[in-house]
Amino acid sequence: MIVNEYLVNGTLIAVFAVIAIRVIQMLLGYRVLIQKYKHLPQTPCNPIFGHLLEYPGPNDAGLAFQRDMIGTFPRFNLVWLGQRPLINVTHPDLTKVIFRSSEPKAFVTYRFVHPWLGEGLLTSNGNKWSRNRRLLTPAFHFDILKDYVQLKNDLCNDLLDKFDKSSKTGISLNVFDCISMFTLDVILQSTMSYVTGCQKDGEKHPYILAVNRLIKGVVSRFFKPWLHPDIIFYMTPTGISFFRDCQYVHKVADEIITKRMKELQSGKRSNEENGNTEKKRKCQDFLDTLITARDEDGNGLTKREIRDEVDTFLFEGHDTTASAISWSLYSIAEHPDIQRRVQEELDGLFGGRDSDYLLWDDLTKLPYLTMVIKESMRLHTPVPFIQRETTKEIALDGYTIPNGSVVSLCIYNIHHNVSVWEDSTKFDPERFSPANCEKRDPFAFVPFSAGPRNCIGQNFAMDEIKISLARILHRYEIRLDPNHEVRKFEGMVMKAENDIKLCVKSRLP
């Protein structure tokens, strides 16, 4: 017992010593940083907490705070997250400098997802990123995307069942709840042909539970600087849960990848939905492409690299698309006149058909719905920010940005910059008419990022958004539940803190 007590006490002393050393290093480094960044536009701040005490939080008040800051600093400014400098860039004249560069993702931020996503496209840099981007690009060729339209329509049927139930019972629908399960179903089946029944079972499946906890864990850690050190984070309940969930989702992905490799080697592909191992699927999924991809030297991806990319697309392709669809429904429900115009366009498209499945050729025949989607993504910005780290000195508006700086491309702020977008908080789809788009800097609207590191899956996502919205709005009238207040939560993805509730009424006889 005495030996055990000595071991415990010794361990605690060692942990606190490490923490004390880290704190001292941070304080000494902070003095150097102040001198290094004092020339950049910024407001006075607390010497310990920086600007964190001024920020209301990742909510509606925080978003209003950000919009107010744009009025003071319409192009860029420096903020201190505790004792860490962060350069916020909010004007297209300057964001294009970063977007067009090959500057890597900021390690200090994206390392939080590294234990889960490894070195996939989201987190990798340099030659590894370039090679994998080339290998993955064929997976998003139009011929491949065309094959996914049927799958998205089929999975949308389960989503429409929930809208139908709401219209019959009169009970308002929880939008993010339903849409998130739909987009997760799509990404699981299109990446790995992994059938979970998540739309019918909700969040009961252990894989779904693990993924949702991982996402929440990353967001929670990002906004709590005291949890940034690994030695502290992995001692907390959230950190312990995060580690266990990483192990679980990796185990599931590894099993699926191993099974698929054997099937491809033997010439068989199992149809997991009906258990028929003799029947091949109509099209290859994302996993097939990853396994069979070869670079110019004939080398393919390792099993670990394949898993990293599968996990990355699960993360990036599920939550962000759910946000875009959900906020589009919110905006449309909020504006009955816009809803009627969208439905007139859909009635013209579907008129005389036996089915309301949206076909591949239909995706380019919805100009007004596309304008509505883009305006919703501007106003509600599914991915509010991305971050890069400078590898050399760069110039912004005549100021020198030091090497090693973390630059935050604040997409939400870019989309609400009043020097670019007049009356920026107003929902106005006409901003995206062809004539207005021609007059505007293309870097003023960047929901899928821009430049060489833009979102490789943006066409996949836009197809999914159009299919789901078109089929929902063709069948149903929607309005916001007047007894429910919608409040935003700005994490790595823009969500509703308490969901969005819709009242649903059938339009069809």
Side-chain angles (χ1 to χ4, degrees), residues 427-462:
F427 185 77
D428 180 12
E430 293 300 328
R431 298 181 199 271
F432 291 93
S433 68
N436 285 330
C437 287
E438 284 181 9
K439 295 183 291 185
R440 190 167 51 241
D441 190 319
F443 286 86
F445 179 65
V446 285
F448 295 106
S449 186
R453 292 199 69 141
N454 67 348
C455 175
I456 194 173
Q458 59 185 287
N459 291 321
F460 179 96
M462 280 298 291

Side-chain angles (χ1 to χ4, degrees), residues 84 109-110 269 277 328 362 368 393 413 418 433 480 504:
R84 178 177 294 168
T109 301
Y110 292 92
R269 276 280 277 110
T277 58
S328 292
D362 296 333
Y368 189 69
E393 288 187 351
N413 293 10
V418 292
S433 68
L480 297 177
V504 180

Side-chain angles (χ1 to χ4, degrees), residues 133-146:
R133 175 83 180 208
R134 289 195 304 273
L135 288 177
L136 268 60
T137 296
F140 296 92
H141 189 275
F142 286 117
D143 289 339
I144 301 294
L145 297 182
K146 185 176 182 179

